[in-house]
Amino acid sequence: MDLSGVTFCDSGDLNALLAAHRIAASNGTALALACVPPVLRRVLEMTGVDQLPAVHDTVAEAVAVLEGGLHRDRNATA
């Protein structure tokens, strides 16, 4: 999920991300977050939400990891 355009995130939005993660997991797939703005990344880290869906610096990196092309720490930054 490309979050580059996100400028605001409240508790409802965090719950939506968690719900999307749960739905993806229940369907045997994964949700990855990409291009997370620094302020939002901090909110995700403070709330622990960054530990559930994988957080990647770019969409290309997220796709590569999901396709098995890269083996990086799920919350690593470049």
Side-chain angles (χ1 to χ4, degrees), residues 1-7 34-37 40 59:
M1 181 180 296
D2 183 347
L3 298 178
S4 60
V6 174
T7 59
C35 305
V36 181
L40 178 54
V59 171

Side-chain angles (χ1 to χ4, degrees), residues 11-64:
S11 61
D13 299 316
L14 291 175
N15 283 328
L17 285 174
L18 291 171
H21 169 72
R22 283 191 301 271
I23 291 167
S26 71
N27 288 312
T29 191
L31 174 69
L33 306 180
C35 305
V36 181
V39 172
L40 178 54
R41 187 180 286 259
R42 187 161 194 279
V43 170
L44 296 176
E45 290 168 353
M46 288 173 32
T47 59
V49 174
D50 68 316
Q51 299 300 308
L52 297 175
V55 177
H56 301 282
D57 293 329
T58 66
V59 171
E61 178 185 295
V63 170

